[in-house]
Each structure stands twice: as C-alpha cells, then as structure tokens.
Amino acid sequence: DVKAPSNFIRQIIDRDLAEGKNDGQVVTRFPPEPNGYLHIGHAKSICLNFGIAESYGGACHLRFDDTNPEKEEEEYIVSIQRDVEWLGFQWAGPVRFASGYFDQLYQYALQLIDKGLAYVDTQSPEQIAEMRGNYNRPGQNSPHRERSVEENRALFERMRDGGFEEGEAVLRARIDMASANINLRDPILYRVRKKAHHQTGDKWVIYPMYDFTHPLSDAIEGITHSLCTLEFEDHRPLYDWLVEHVEVSARPRQYEFARLNLNYTVTSKRRLKQLVDEGHVAGWDDPRMPTLSGLRRRGFTPASIRGFCENLGVSRADSVIDMSILEDSVRDDLNQHAPRAFCVLNPLKLVIRNWPEDKTEWLQAPVHPQNETMGTRQMPLTREVYIDREDFREEANKKYKRLVLGDRVRLRYGYVVRADEVVRDDAGEIIEIHCSYDPDTLGKNPENDEGQGKLRGVIHWVSAPLGLPCQVRLYDRLFKVPMPTRVGEGEDFLDHINEASLQVLDHCVVEPGLKGVLPETRYQFEREGYFCVDTDSDENGLIFNRTVGLRESWPR
Ligand code: ATP
Ligand code: MG
Ligand code: MG
C-alpha cells in the first residue's frame, strides 16, 4: 500500500497529535444527506475522511445528515452504504443518523433558551428574511428577540407539540444581527415541517437546521476533525459558537477543503436528479453518470477511483479536473489487470476457402500478454470467421495496416490470410470476403516470401459458428462542452447534453470463452478498448459496456 501523500489537513492532524490534543484520537466522519446517489465528488471526501482514519489508526463514522424530511429517501440510504463499501471502506461502529440525535438536539436547544441564547420568532418568513439584511446592510433585531426564557420555552414546546403551522414560528439563535457574517445574524435553528421522516416517522413536527445539527452531531460522536468543503467556511463561526455554548464534552473542529469539479459532467445531486427524473439518462446508475454506481456499471474499479482521488491531493484552491485524468486512471488499472478477449463490433464474414468445412482448430492465446501468470485462453478457428468491417478495404495505401483485397494480414494468434475476392448483396454492399490461409504460418512468418512485401498487420477475429452474439454499448461524455453549468443567458445545462453519448451495437460477436460471464467482469477487447459486463447481461443476452477506449480520444 502506497503511503498517502501529505496535505494541509494531515499537517494539522500531525500538529494536533504532537500537542497531545483530543487524547491522541483521530475521529472523522463522512456525512452525506440521503437526497441522491453519491458522485465522484463525494469519493474525494470519502477517500479523505476514511483515508485519514486508516492511516492514523483512528475511526471514520458514516452519518446520514438527515434533517430534511422532504427530499430524503430510503433508496438513497441503501445506495450510499453500498457505494462506500464498494470503494473499499468500512465505517467504525453502526451507521449513524443525525435524526438519531433529535431528542438530544432538542435538549441542546432548551439549554440555549435557558441561557438566553435562543428565542422563538413568530414573524413571517418574509419579515425574517427582510430584517436579516444583506452584505451591505446590517440586520435589525426581531421584535421577539427579548422574549423571556419562560415564554420561549412555552412557545418552543408548542412548536414541538404541533401548535404552529409551517412558517408560523422558528427557533433562532440569539447572536448578533449586526455581524458582518450573515450566518451569525440570529440563524434559524428549528423550523416547523409537518412531514413524516423516513427514520423518525411522525414523532417530530419540528426539524433542526443543518447548521445546528451538524456541529452538535460531531460533538455527540466525538469527531475530532470535521472536514467539509469550502462553501462552509463562512459557517465555521456558527459551528464554533454552538459547540462552545451548548454543554458538550467534545470539541470538534471544522476544516475546509476545495470541492472536486470535473469537466464534461455535473457534480451536483440536484442536477443529477434532474437528469434522472426527466429521463435524460436511464437512472442514477446509467454508465454515463458521474455517480459511483454509474462509474461502477461503466466498468470503473474501486482502485482506479481511489487512486484518482489520492493523486488529486487536497487543497484549498478551487480547480476543475479534466475528465481525461479520471479516464486515464481506469485505463491504467485495467491495462494491468483486465483479461484480454476478442470481440468484433461490426462483423463482416471472412470465408477461408482452403480450410476444411468441419474443421475446428483450438488456438492458444495469452489471457494477458504482459502477465503470464494469468494463463492462456483457447480460441476456435473455423472456416468462417468474423472480422470488423473497419478492418477491410478493397483498396488502401500502405499506411492502412489491415486487410486489403489481394493483400495479407495475420489473424491474431492464428494464421496469415490473403483476401482474394469480395461477395456483394443485391444492393452492392460487401457481405463476405473470400480468402485463403497459409498453413505454415502459425507462430511464424511466411516462407518463400519474395516479392510479396511485409504483412500489413494483425487483426482480431471471432469464429462465426462458435462466437457468442452480444450487444455492446459505446458510451461517450454526457456533455459536449467542458463546463455545462456555465451557460449563457436563457441557456440551461441540459442544452449541452451530448445526444451521441450512447451508441448501441446489437450485432457484435465475442469469443466463446466468455460464455456465462457475470456482470461487472471487465475485459480489454483487444484493439477496441476496455469493457465491462452490464448488470442487465445474462445468458440469453450478453451485454458489454465500453468503459474507455484504449487511448485518449477527446476531442474527436
Ligand atoms: P451536492 O452539492 O451534490 O448536493 P452536498 O455537499 O450537498 O453535494 P452531501 O451529501 O452533503 O452533498 O455531501 C456529503 C459530503 O461530501 C460533504 O462533506 C461534502 O462536503 C462532500 N462533498 C460533496 N460534494 C463534493 C465534491 N464535489 N468534492 C468534494 N467533496 C464533496
Ligand atoms: Mg450537504
Ligand atoms: Mg446538496
């Protein structure tokens, strides 16, 4: 295992440990809101939080930040756990839920009320927003700011008991309406939401806000380093204020790092959900999606995603990472580890006229040409084979390293063949090539070669009677432009969807050794790219997804 490179967060932890802070403990957490599937941006946070816990012998918690009953669903809770485990991480202790702390958080709110640090505001939401001010204008105190502790307690209990409708009352922290930091202008801590919650059912009709819940959940769990993205930097003073004024034994601290942004895609759950809900993709796990389940179905490996995140590093500088870097990470991994196979994407029949009708010869090929320990595979050569349409031309110059009428190529791991004649259908399209093979060329070059020139090249092939029919799905980037969300007036990110991002080939043929392959098995189809067996694939219908081509191919 490679030692993770240092970064500014690890340096902070090293310093804390050297100073004996937190009794030498390192406890982090990954806190997704269950309102969508995890995407590649979350992978950065997962690798950071779990990676730190692993290398410091600490613990990383998985906590669902589930304070918003409207947008959350059980499906997301299940998928998020599956994706974290798929990446190869295990959280310490049980799966946690912020909603599991609702009773405790309610008590913390009462503490603030008792200290005169929170009050119930019964102004309308519009009045509250208006009096909050903005960057140029300080806020104004609410007329309800001076309510007595008793009155606030009674009103807060009434909120809890359902005595207010949504928008009629909120609990606010009593901090400073003139603060330059708007987050400190008496932020809302609790609001009324008469909605059932996926974990707590109908027990609550008031729900704590994220900014109240998050620091106190961290404190309850004994989180030492609470790592979040830069947009929460302005919330840190409120984080610290709450941890300080509520009676908690732990002292978590928040540190911010830059989000991962990738070009040619979107990394926002809201937009990804829109793509799913409006049918622009087939689902959250569509192989074009930057979700972890989409990347998985596409054929990405956990190791490639972890390696990608590790190489990115962690900083406080915002940047946009090129999609090709993510693609390279899986290409490198699969180049080393994926078994090789032959698959013909656009079949054209080649008839070897001097090959006996019923003869099948089993040829040997390495599973991986650079790794003998992966063994060999057997491929049947028969009188009729398929080659790719792209691998034949009636005429071509010397740069074309494939089969040309009257010239020769090697059928990879087999014999040298010469194209003698083409057969056309009524429309004039070539439907067969008739050729002859040289029986003395298995594993060696043709003898008596005078005047014939060099072989043009080596092409892949699959036995026509014994090959397995399959479907191949070729994926491309989901957006045509690098920054689909940076759009002009009246434009929408959906205007930049790449309509050609999925091409389905229904008549492909793969070598017979792949019979019965299980979903998620990955291959290099020689000369074509890296492919993964789709989750919908079965014995009656083999389906492969192209993960990436053999080399970078964007822009086209
Ligand atoms: P989105 O904007 O997609 O809704 P989010 O930040 O609201 O993302 P959460 O479920 O709250 O999603 O995210 C869980 C954790 O993952 C948070 O700590 C968040 O900071 C982190 N995270 C989310 N997106 C990214 C990203 N693009 N890069 C790095 N970390 C991210
Ligand atoms: Mg969030
Ligand atoms: Mg969000």
Side-chain angles (χ1 to χ4, degrees):
D1 218 321
V2 191
K3 193 179 174 300
S6 190
N7 57 52
F8 79 96
I9 291 173
R10 285 172 181 262
Q11 285 161 13
I12 289 167
I13 295 174
D14 290 338
R15 198 188 60 209
D16 288 350
L17 290 174
E19 291 173 2
K21 277 198 191 150
N22 308 310
D23 300 324
Q25 299 291 304
V26 177
V27 186
T28 57
R29 85 287 168 267
F30 174 63
E33 183 180 355
N35 61 351
Y37 280 58
L38 297 181
H39 53 64
I40 186 71
H42 294 112
K44 177 174 177 181
S45 175
I46 293 170
C47 290
L48 178 64
N49 280 294
F50 283 91
I52 282 177
E54 265 176 18
S55 50
Y56 287 92
C60 180
H61 297 180
L62 174 63
R63 181 205 313 147
F64 288 104
D65 234 323
D66 56 344
T67 55
N68 189 357
E70 275 105 297
K71 292 183 181 164
E72 299 170 359
E73 281 175 37
E74 190 65 31
E75 178 193 352
Y76 302 138
I77 292 176
V78 172
S79 75
I80 288 169
Q81 294 178 53
R82 197 190 49 217
D83 289 346
V84 171
E85 288 181 317
W86 177 71
L87 274 182
F89 295 109
Q90 189 56 58
W91 48 90
V95 173
R96 294 156 216 255
F97 293 87
S99 58
Y101 309 136
F102 281 174
D103 286 314
Q104 180 67 61
L105 293 168
Y106 183 77
Q107 295 304 317
Y108 288 154
L110 292 178
Q111 281 181 19
L112 291 176
I113 290 174
D114 289 347
K115 291 183 177 180
L117 294 175
Y119 61 96
V120 173
D121 198 339
T122 44
Q123 296 181 98
S124 70
E126 295 74 27
Q127 279 169 314
I128 291 176
E130 167 61 25
M131 291 178 72
R132 171 162 279 189
N134 56 36
Y135 286 101
N136 306 314
R137 180 164 56 85
Q140 291 164 266
N141 286 348
S142 163
H144 306 141
R145 203 172 192 262
E146 304 306 327
R147 279 182 166 142
S148 69
V149 169
E150 292 66 36
E151 203 181 345
N152 280 318
R153 270 206 168 235
L155 288 169
F156 190 46
E157 267 165 34
R158 195 172 136 197
M159 280 175 67
R160 182 198 60 191
D161 295 340
F164 288 103
E165 295 307 313
E166 297 188 9
E168 286 181 353
V170 291
L171 183 73
R172 299 179 71 177
R174 195 164 175 276
I175 308 181
D176 179 6
M177 289 306 291
S179 173
N181 184 337
I182 294 179
N183 292 292
L184 294 180
R185 294 184 189 170
D186 292 8
I188 295 171
L189 306 181
Y190 266 90
R191 71 234 194 275
V192 177
R193 277 282 179 281
K194 297 201 166 171
K195 296 259 161 44
H197 185 284
H198 50 96
Q199 301 299 312
T200 57
D202 291 325
K203 179 172 176 191
W204 295 93
V205 293
I206 55 172
Y207 290 96
M209 302 298 286
Y210 172 88
D211 275 344
F212 177 72
T213 308
H214 199 86
L216 298 175
S217 300
D218 283 348
I220 290 169
E221 293 182 11
I223 302 300
T224 55
H225 299 81
S226 182
L227 313 178
C228 64
T229 38
L230 277 174
E231 68 269 25
F232 290 100
E233 186 173 14
D234 287 351
H235 300 233
R236 188 176 354 117
L238 177 56
Y239 185 105
D240 290 338
W241 187 91
L242 284 163
V243 173
E244 191 179 319
H245 290 97
V246 169
E247 274 145 46
V248 289
S249 50
R251 184 67 182 83
R253 286 184 195 276
Q254 172 181 307
Y255 300 95
E256 308 88 22
F257 63 96
R259 294 176 73 88
L260 165 63
N261 302 301
L262 256 192
N263 64 12
Y264 292 102
T265 190
V266 292
T267 46
S268 129
K269 278 184 282 187
R270 183 175 57 82
R271 292 201 173 92
L272 294 173
K273 186 168 189 307
Q274 194 182 346
L275 291 170
V276 174
D277 289 347
E278 295 179 6
H280 301 288
V281 294
W284 285 98
D285 69 346
D286 185 299
R288 291 166 293 183
M289 292 280 272
T291 52
L292 295 181
S293 49
L295 292 167
R296 176 179 181 172
R297 189 167 177 183
R298 176 88 168 246
F300 278 73
T301 58
S304 66
I305 294 174
R306 287 175 69 154
F308 169 74
C309 291
E310 202 126 288
N311 290 336
L312 286 179
V314 179
S315 81
R316 287 177 55 88
D318 270 315
S319 65
V320 180
I321 305 301
D322 203 285
M323 181 61 94
S324 64
I325 296 177
L326 179 62
E327 292 166 348
D328 275 343
S329 74
V330 72
R331 190 178 286 122
D332 290 349
D333 185 17
L334 294 177
N335 183 34
Q336 276 188 60
H337 299 114
R340 274 40 176 176
F342 282 171
C343 182
V344 175
L345 301 184
N346 302 296
L348 173 60
K349 191 174 277 182
L350 190 76
V351 181
I352 309 170
R353 284 196 297 208
N354 59 337
W355 186 278
E357 284 281 352
D358 299 323
K359 180 180 169 186
T360 301
E361 181 175 342
W362 289 85
L363 301 171
Q364 294 251 341
V367 172
H368 191 300
Q370 280 86 47
N371 185 351
E372 268 180 38
T373 65
M374 290 175 76
T376 54
R377 60 194 220 257
Q378 310 287 322
M379 281 188 301
L381 181 59
T382 49
R383 181 179 158 93
E384 296 192 349
V385 301
Y386 290 117
I387 65 167
D388 201 287
R389 276 192 182 271
E390 299 280 310
D391 283 342
F392 176 76
R393 283 191 198 162
E394 286 180 272
E395 282 174 63
N397 66 23
K398 288 289 168 206
K399 284 189 193 141
Y400 184 75
K401 302 291 184 204
R402 309 174 190 193
L403 187 59
V404 176
L405 195 59
D407 211 341
R408 299 168 308 160
V409 292
R410 178 180 297 281
L411 296 181
R412 185 151 206 213
Y413 305 122
Y415 298 91
V416 170
V417 295
R418 171 195 310 282
D420 300 321
E421 211 178 304
V422 295
V423 178
R424 296 175 194 277
D425 65 9
D426 294 339
E429 201 192 342
I430 297 174
I431 51 170
E432 278 179 12
I433 303 162
H434 286 196
C435 70
S436 47
Y437 88 110
D438 180 345
D440 201 26
T441 53
L442 189 63
K444 57 181 174 178
N445 284 328
E447 283 172 24
N448 303 324
D449 219 13
E450 309 100 64
Q452 299 199 46
K454 288 206 319 204
L455 285 184
R456 274 189 181 257
V458 181
I459 64 174
H460 65 286
W461 52 276
V462 172
S463 160
L466 299 175
L468 307 172
C470 64
Q471 184 189 80
V472 173
R473 300 174 180 172
L474 302 178
Y475 294 100
D476 204 340
R477 295 181 180 178
L478 190 49
F479 291 93
K480 287 178 290 199
V481 297
M483 302 302 296
T485 59
R486 257 180 232 163
V487 294
E489 279 272 312
E491 277 187 328
D492 187 79
F493 79 107
L494 297 171
D495 298 334
H496 299 292
I497 285 193
N498 176 7
E499 304 81 13
S501 60
L502 170 59
Q503 192 192 346
V504 180
L505 303 178
D506 275 316
H507 305 287
C508 311
V509 193
V510 72
E511 66 178 69
L514 270 61
K515 186 170 164 53
V517 284
L518 298 175
E520 300 199 359
T521 316
R522 304 175 185 93
Y523 293 94
Q524 185 199 86
F525 287 164
E526 299 193 38
R527 302 181 62 235
E528 295 291 358
Y530 297 97
F531 293 78
C532 177
V533 183
D534 188 69
T535 38
D536 287 343
S537 181
D538 61 29
E539 273 173 58
N540 306 318
L542 269 179
I543 306 168
F544 295 92
N545 297 322
R546 183 174 65 192
T547 311
V548 284
L550 288 177
R551 55 195 68 81
E552 167 72 39
S553 61
W554 190 278
R556 302 266 172 273

